[in-house]
Amino acid sequence: MTLCRFKNLKFLGPNKYSEVPDGGWGWVVAVAFFLVEIFTYGTIKIFGIFLLDLKTEFKESNSRISWVVSIAVFVMTFNGPLASVMTNRFGYQFVVMIGGLLICCGTIATSFASSINQIYITYGFVAGLGYCLTYLPTVTILSKYFNRRRSLVVAVASIGESLSLFALAPAYSAVRDKIGWRHTMTLIGALQSIVIVCGALLRPVLIVPRESDSTDADKSSPKELEALQECGHVEGSDQESCLRKENEMIDSYGTTGVSDLKCLKDEKSPEENALLQKGGVKETERTPTVTSQENDNEKQGIKDCSKLLDFSILRECSFILYSLFGLFATLGFFAPPLYVIELSVSHGVERDRAAFMLSIIAVAEILGRFFIGWILSHRLFSGRKLLVLLVCVIIMTLDLVGFTLVKEFYGLAVCCALYGFFMGTISCTHIPLLAEDDVVGIERMTSAGGVYVFIQSFAGLAGPPLGGVLVDITKNYGAAFYSCAIGMGLSALFLGLVRPAKKGMLCRRGCSKQSALDQQNKDSCEEQNGEQRQADAAAAH
């Protein structure tokens, strides 16, 4: 059980609450996420300040230099499942601290690179992998600390990305002019070591039901007791079906199974074991299952101790449709930051004035994050969060079309303000909304987030080259905005189908088959329990 013990490596220990705290240590986690945003997505966005220096020193083309950012973003998103697996196995703190170390080392190593190919490795792959191991686990555990305030807290904490573009980009540019791009890159890498400290602050959440009186203790977690009691007397394939039922319950460490509670109790101190017993999970109720597993195979015990990645989400229509929404929405994100300046210049706007477009986008994005957080935290929209997101996506689609219709500075400025505003609303909510019951739910968010980001990665890698090809063919920068509008429109279509799919309106046959299978497993467990009770009674006589 060495791997299981290593998984429980904690630096500050878990936080124990009787319910989701909606605050408490969650505020510290929110600050940590704010800093992680600055040194992950925020740093990637400001990498463009070094493009001219890299082009001059290495005598490379713009396209070759721009691949550094593309590789970093692709590695960051493509390895989403890896981040989920590592988080489920080793915990949030360890994974984020390792990610922070990779970011720091990769960025500092970039300052010593002697060719653009070396930067592909140091910044694209090493730092990109570090970004992956820090961002996704941090936003996931922050979602677990909050329930009613989740949308507001995540939105406000995520402004670090926009703040980095608005404030730190000019600051780093001034430092670069003073000490050069290599020393500036070293400085950024040193500052990114703050992420390691942020990782140590990500204390896992342990939800322990309140202690009532001794007669009502078992009623505090009836769903857990039912699953554990059923599986305590079942053998063979029926036992596996019951274990699957256990694995659908919430585990506060980022995994998706009550079976982890068994591992936690085996590995924790007597005081923490007592808390788990008070929550209704008794030693006597789970001994048959654990003993059977240890006698059969130690590896099977390790497997039950941690469910690394819940691939069953790929059988859910709601998650597949939501992933398609994320895939096509990503295609609509890239055009304005890349091409809005050149589009403005092509319409006769002076280049100095056109440069203000990026500042407009950054300020509007901050406002959009505050706005969506406030809206989604309101009770009126508690059950309509997907609908609010759908409205934002539709307006974004219309705005992308508007970029191709306006021809003067103020019209383009309005389009940039709308783009930044709704970009902020979408970018800070599309991953946390995986925790909503209309998608997959908070208990399965860790695994779902990894798969979701992995699917997004292909659009992030293909989007900019696709827009560039269209611009080269048509000789019109508006073509890139049309392609983004089409992608965003398709994402709105798939997003609108998520909630009907969750209710079974689109996949009734699959849902009915799954329900029948669940009922069959339940009946089998009940039958086995009855036979066991009869055998026990006969043995007693």
Side-chain angles (χ1 to χ4, degrees):
M1 303 294 289
T2 303
L3 290 176
C4 186
R5 293 188 182 95
F6 187 67
K7 173 189 172 184
N8 290 327
L9 178 63
K10 304 291 186 299
F11 295 92
L12 292 176
N15 274 315
K16 302 177 182 66
Y17 298 97
S18 59
E19 58 184 6
V20 178
D22 248 344
W25 190 261
W27 298 116
V28 178
V29 177
V31 174
F33 178 63
F34 173 80
L35 296 173
V36 167
E37 276 273 335
I38 290 178
F39 295 115
T40 54
Y41 272 114
T43 303
I44 291 175
K45 282 190 172 183
I46 66 174
F47 189 84
I49 65 175
F50 300 109
L51 290 182
L52 182 60
D53 299 280
L54 297 176
K55 180 182 177 182
T56 303
E57 180 160 343
F58 298 124
K59 296 180 175 55
E60 296 284 358
S61 63
N62 286 318
S63 61
R64 285 264 296 168
I65 301 297
S66 63
W67 271 104
V68 174
V69 175
S70 296
I71 292 173
V73 173
F74 177 73
V75 171
M76 178 181 182
T77 53
F78 183 81
N79 289 286
L82 174 64
S84 295
V85 168
M86 292 185 64
T87 300
N88 288 338
R89 170 60 71 183
F90 304 114
Y92 297 97
Q93 293 172 315
F94 179 77
V95 172
V96 174
M97 292 176 74
I98 290 297
L101 182 62
L102 288 174
I103 294 173
C104 181
C105 294
T107 306
I108 293 177
T110 301
S111 65
F112 296 96
S114 58
S115 69
I116 194 63
N117 292 328
Q118 292 180 5
I119 297 180
Y120 290 160
I121 297 174
T122 58
Y123 194 85
F125 287 97
V126 178
L129 181 59
Y131 292 144
C132 173
L133 297 181
T134 54
Y135 176 80
L136 187 59
T138 308
V139 71
T140 301
I141 193 172
L142 179 61
S143 299
K144 291 177 180 291
Y145 267 97
F146 292 89
N147 184 16
R148 184 176 60 85
R149 300 174 179 173
R150 182 187 301 140
S151 299
L152 178 61
V153 172
V154 173
V156 173
S158 66
I159 66 172
E161 175 186 343
S162 303
L163 187 63
S164 179
L165 179 63
F166 178 71
L168 294 185
Y172 286 143
S173 296
V175 173
R176 179 206 58 197
D177 294 338
K178 294 288 185 180
I179 63 177
W181 75 270
R182 290 186 181 272
H183 291 91
T184 304
M185 192 71 71
T186 303
L187 174 63
I188 294 175
L191 292 174
Q192 286 176 321
S193 63
I194 295 175
V195 175
I196 301 176
V197 179
C198 294
L201 298 175
L202 303 182
R203 302 175 66 178
V205 186
L206 181 61
I207 305 299
V208 181
R210 283 195 182 92
E211 179 186 5
S212 56
D213 54 294
S214 57
T215 59
D216 294 333
D218 293 340
K219 296 180 181 179
S220 61
S221 55
K223 190 174 180 181
E224 296 171 335
L225 287 175
E226 180 184 356
L228 292 171
Q229 288 173 347
E230 288 178 0
C231 295
H233 303 287
V234 180
E235 299 177 356
S237 61
D238 291 331
Q239 181 178 354
E240 295 179 0
S241 66
C242 289
L243 288 175
R244 285 196 298 270
K245 182 177 180 181
E246 288 181 19
N247 287 335
E248 293 179 358
M249 301 181 194
I250 298 176
D251 175 77
S252 58
Y253 284 80
T255 55
T256 56
V258 170
S259 56
D260 275 348
L261 289 175
K262 304 173 187 176
C263 177
L264 286 171
K265 189 171 180 180
D266 289 339
E267 303 299 332
K268 288 189 174 298
S269 64
E271 180 182 356
E272 293 175 349
N273 287 340
L275 287 173
L276 288 176
Q277 289 178 356
K278 291 177 182 178
V281 183
K282 297 182 178 180
E283 181 74 27
T284 57
E285 293 171 333
R286 62 179 181 82
T287 299
T289 303
V290 177
T291 303
S292 174
Q293 290 170 344
E294 290 176 349
N295 292 336
D296 290 338
N297 197 329
E298 184 179 2
K299 292 183 179 179
Q300 180 66 29
I302 295 174
K303 178 180 178 182
D304 291 336
C305 196
S306 175
K307 190 175 183 182
L308 294 182
L309 197 59
D310 186 9
F311 286 105
S312 64
I313 56 175
L314 294 175
R315 297 197 299 266
E316 294 190 13
C317 294
S318 59
F319 176 74
I320 294 298
L321 291 170
Y322 195 83
S323 298
L324 290 174
F325 147 71
L327 177 71
F328 286 102
T330 304
L331 291 175
F333 287 160
F334 71 88
L338 283 178
Y339 297 114
V340 68
I341 294 179
E342 298 302 328
L343 178 69
S344 302
V345 172
S346 67
H347 290 328
V349 179
E350 296 180 0
R351 185 169 293 272
D352 292 339
R353 298 185 70 193
F356 284 106
M357 299 296 178
L358 294 180
S359 298
I360 294 173
I361 291 176
V363 174
E365 189 173 337
I366 294 175
L367 297 176
R369 291 173 186 268
F370 277 110
F371 174 79
I372 196 66
W374 175 76
I375 286 292
L376 294 185
S377 63
H378 199 281
R379 294 185 181 275
L380 178 63
F381 300 99
S382 59
R384 302 179 177 89
K385 294 181 180 180
L386 289 183
L387 180 60
V388 174
L389 181 61
L390 177 61
V391 172
C392 294
V393 173
I394 292 175
I395 297 177
M396 170 86 83
T397 304
L398 298 176
D399 181 60
L400 289 170
V401 176
F403 273 101
T404 65
L405 301 179
V406 296
K407 305 294 183 183
E408 42 84 29
F409 174 81
Y410 292 104
L412 289 170
V414 171
C415 288
C416 287
L418 290 174
Y419 170 83
F421 185 86
F422 289 103
M423 174 68 177
T425 63
I426 297 171
S427 61
C428 73
T429 56
H430 67 109
I431 292 180
L433 284 185
L434 286 168
E436 299 299 320
D437 292 335
D438 288 337
V439 189
V440 296
I442 186 64
E443 69 275 7
R444 307 176 74 184
M445 183 183 175
T446 303
S447 296
V451 177
Y452 174 76
V453 173
F454 168 78
I455 294 174
Q456 271 191 301
S457 66
F458 297 99
L461 183 67
L466 174 62
V469 169
L470 292 175
V471 170
D472 291 338
I473 293 176
T474 62
K475 307 300 181 183
N476 180 13
Y477 288 101
F481 289 83
Y482 277 125
S483 67
C484 290
I486 293 173
M488 193 63 69
L490 290 174
S491 73
L493 174 63
F494 288 115
L495 180 61
L497 297 175
V498 170
R499 193 168 185 179
K502 190 66 174 181
K503 293 182 178 181
M505 298 179 182
L506 301 180
C507 357
R508 293 179 180 175
R509 180 177 300 179
C511 292
S512 62
K513 288 182 179 180
Q514 184 66 30
S515 299
L517 180 61
D518 292 341
Q519 185 63 35
Q520 182 180 359
N521 291 336
K522 183 177 180 180
D523 294 341
S524 177
C525 286
E526 292 177 354
E527 181 180 353
Q528 292 290 336
N529 287 337
E531 293 177 357
Q532 184 66 35
R533 284 193 295 269
Q534 293 177 2
D536 293 342
H541 288 296

